[in-house]
Amino acid sequence: MAKKIREQAVSLISYLQKVKGGDISDNQDVQRCFCWDNSAVNELIVTVLTEDYIPPVILGEEEMGGGLVRQCIVDGLQRSSALLKFRYGNHAITPPAEERVIRYQRKRRGKNNRVCRDENNAVLWDLAEFNLKNKTYDMLPDELKRRFDDYQIRIVIYQDCAMEEVSKLVRRYNNHRAMNASQKAFTYIDRYARKIRVISRCGFLKDCTNYSETERKKGTYEKVICEAAMAVFHLESWKKQPGQMNLFLNRNSSDREFDRISEYADQLQAICGGKFKDLFAPGDIPVWFAVYDRFLRLNVKSGGFVDFLAALTCDLHDKEIGGMSYDSLNRAKGTKEREIIPAKIEFLAKLMAEYFGLEKGWVEGV
């Protein structure tokens, strides 16, 4: 028998009042607790205020007997709780919110705050902007309060359900995995994302490092390519947080830079194969791209890089320069900290130049 499903659209304020008043339960037996962080809450509020799309909330309508029913949130508890938090819980939009300035239309006002009209008595309007940073619902201008309250939210209702059926629906619609930090960060580099995705499928990451297939699925390959571009071309602006790094690259990188990273990946795969997986540890891939970039500026035969790597694994790993060694740097905490990445690159570059008997040897800007 076909399931009875109905759909409707209601104003957001009407929906939230029903949840707040208990007409719609946000406490179904197997439903998880609210677990969103402020970043997720902020983004949802901005989505409402920019009048963008929010997926429908799914309700289960449980038969209580005697013609009575109880509506429970099946999918959308996190969204509902976040919106309640803003509308009634005095939540302030905390930085960073990606779109903090909201544009809206307001009536032009003159002396004594009176609405301005033209010669035909039609209301005059102005385009205004409002910065959401650290603002609560009560701080919004009236126009944006109305925009929030009037937002149309779609609701899908499964009717005539037993308690077990509602629980099954909760399990079904919440059986997913949210984006992790690397995957979310990748959405901030839209200008070069397609090129990065192609580079990430290169043989170097797959065959020459210890990265697993699971790491590929988690978006780690794309993150490493971005880190390599930062280490080679923008080391002085190194960012620890993937999102900040990708925002920087989106504004400051170029196709040429990522083409160079692609070339380096292909060359490293060709000359190294799988012989140096222990050196090409996951946290050090961007370091080695930068060191290889320095090597290419040396007047040394092409096979010299493999010779240097082989020497590093044998007896150079504990050699000290300036009180540091490769081993001591690897023991340092925070492998992605702003200080560690440049320190490793500079140390390995000096060690490499010394290994080849050169004072410095590379040509700047090549």
Side-chain angles (χ1 to χ4, degrees), residues 107 137 141-151:
K107 294 175 182 176
Y137 173 86
D142 290 340
E143 293 84 357
L144 290 183
K145 287 180 180 177
R146 286 195 295 272
R147 183 184 292 184
F148 184 90
D149 290 347
D150 292 343
Y151 182 87

Side-chain angles (χ1 to χ4, degrees), residues 20-269:
K20 187 172 182 284
D23 301 275
I24 297 173
S25 173
D26 60 355
N27 192 30
Q28 199 275 339
D29 297 355
V30 301
Q31 185 63 267
R32 61 179 174 169
C33 297
F34 180 65
C35 57
W36 275 13
D37 60 14
N38 283 339
S39 174
V41 175
N42 295 342
E43 288 179 8
L44 180 64
I45 295 165
V46 169
T47 300
V48 171
L49 291 175
T50 53
E51 300 180 294
D52 288 324
Y53 176 75
I54 293 177
V57 170
I58 300 176
L59 306 180
E61 199 168 72
E62 181 185 342
E63 291 287 344
M64 304 292 290
L68 299 175
V69 298
R70 181 177 73 143
Q71 289 186 337
C72 304
I73 298 175
V74 166
D75 182 57
L77 173 68
Q78 305 299 316
R79 283 168 277 158
S80 302
S81 300
L83 295 168
L84 282 166
K85 188 176 181 181
F86 181 66
R87 183 60 176 81
Y88 298 109
N90 205 38
H91 171 81
I93 303 292
T94 53
E98 190 172 354
E99 296 182 61
R100 291 191 305 210
V101 177
I102 304 296
R103 304 181 76 187
Y104 66 99
Q105 185 174 304
R106 69 181 177 192
K107 294 175 182 176
R108 184 179 302 173
R109 295 184 180 274
K111 292 182 179 179
N112 301 319
N113 204 34
R114 295 184 63 180
V115 175
C116 298
R117 298 176 181 271
D118 64 15
E119 63 275 10
N120 298 315
N121 203 35
V123 173
L124 296 175
W125 298 88
D126 290 319
L127 192 63
E129 293 184 342
F130 185 77
N131 193 323
L132 292 175
K133 182 180 178 181
N134 296 324
K135 301 300 194 301
T136 65
Y137 173 86
D138 290 337
M139 295 177 182
L140 298 179
D142 290 340
E143 293 84 357
L144 290 183
K145 287 180 180 177
R146 286 195 295 272
R147 183 184 292 184
F148 184 90
D149 290 347
D150 292 343
Y151 182 87
Q152 294 293 293
I153 187 166
R154 295 202 62 80
I155 298 175
V156 176
I157 304 171
Y158 279 84
Q159 302 175 90
D160 303 327
C161 294
M163 179 182 65
E164 294 84 359
E165 291 178 293
V166 177
S167 295
K168 180 179 179 180
L169 290 170
V170 171
R171 181 170 67 250
R172 176 190 299 170
Y173 284 104
N174 288 277
N175 186 21
H176 61 82
R177 180 176 293 176
M179 280 185 167
N180 62 31
S182 297
Q183 293 162 338
K184 184 175 181 180
F186 193 54
T187 66
Y188 290 112
I189 193 164
D190 50 280
R191 290 183 182 177
Y192 308 107
R194 186 171 299 178
K195 186 181 289 287
I196 293 166
R197 183 61 56 79
V198 171
I199 300 171
S200 72
R201 295 172 182 148
C202 69
F204 173 72
L205 293 177
K206 180 174 178 288
D207 301 328
C208 307
T209 73
N210 285 320
Y211 281 123
S212 65
E213 178 66 11
T214 300
E215 291 299 318
R216 183 189 66 79
K217 293 178 181 178
K218 289 180 178 179
T220 305
Y221 281 22
E222 289 84 358
K223 183 184 75 169
V224 168
I225 297 304
C226 294
E227 289 175 341
M230 284 292 294
V232 173
F233 301 107
H234 306 281
L235 185 60
E236 71 286 350
S237 300
W238 179 265
K239 314 288 182 185
K240 179 183 176 182
Q241 298 300 326
Q244 295 177 8
M245 174 182 67
N246 287 359
L247 276 172
F248 177 89
L249 288 173
N250 210 43
R251 296 168 183 153
N252 298 284
S253 191
S254 66
D255 285 320
R256 187 187 68 82
E257 289 182 357
F258 283 105
D259 287 340
R260 182 82 67 86
I261 295 299
S262 180
E263 292 170 7
Y264 288 179
D266 290 342
Q267 292 168 14
L268 285 169
Q269 180 193 11

